[in-house]
Amino acid sequence: MSRHIINQVAPPALPLARDQYDRPYQDQLNNVLRLYFVQLNSAVNLLQSPPVYLVADLPSAVDVGVGARSFVTNATGPTFGATVVGGGAVKVPVYSDGTNWKVG
């Protein structure tokens, strides 16, 4: 099972429709949909803004899986594709290859 936030947004259980227009039903439906879209929007915003870490604080590249992205603020160098090493002052985006975090 994927640990990405987008997979944690469950589709809403919509209330059953009534035969005739019913204001309380419409209000309930609107509230359910509003909550769902707020959760979905939050998940999409997290995906668009990768978290920022120190290299030592990055989660395990194995646990997050291939393709996960983040950003570090203390890399020693910006060499694309190199395994990221902490202890410097270089700010770079990083990605998981499933084993290590790589600059890029």
Side-chain angles (χ1 to χ4, degrees), residues 10 17 30 43 77 94:
N30 287 340
V94 293

Side-chain angles (χ1 to χ4, degrees), residues 1-10 39:
M1 180 167 170
S2 177
R3 296 176 58 165
H4 294 288
I5 188 74
I6 197 74
N7 292 334
Q8 297 174 12
V9 178
Q39 289 177 336

Side-chain angles (χ1 to χ4, degrees), residues 71-78 87-92:
F71 197 87
V72 296
T73 58
N74 70 329
T76 55
V90 180
K91 298 174 175 87
V92 294

Side-chain angles (χ1 to χ4, degrees), residues 45-57:
N45 286 339
L46 285 174
L47 292 174
Q48 291 175 339
S49 303
V52 177
Y53 292 99
L54 296 174
V55 173
D57 296 332

Side-chain angles (χ1 to χ4, degrees), residues 1 10 17 21 24 26-27 32-33 37 40 44-45 54 61 63 69-70 74 78-79 81 83 88 95 97 100:
M1 180 167 170
Y21 176 81
Q26 285 300 128
D27 290 343
V32 168
L33 291 175
F37 285 112
L40 192 59
V44 168
N45 286 339
L54 296 174
D63 289 343
R69 300 195 59 81
S70 191
N74 70 329
T79 305
T83 298
Y95 66 93
D97 68 359
N100 295 300

Side-chain angles (χ1 to χ4, degrees), residues 16 24 43 60 66 70 74 85 99:
L16 296 174
S60 164
V66 175
S70 191
N74 70 329
V85 177
T99 303

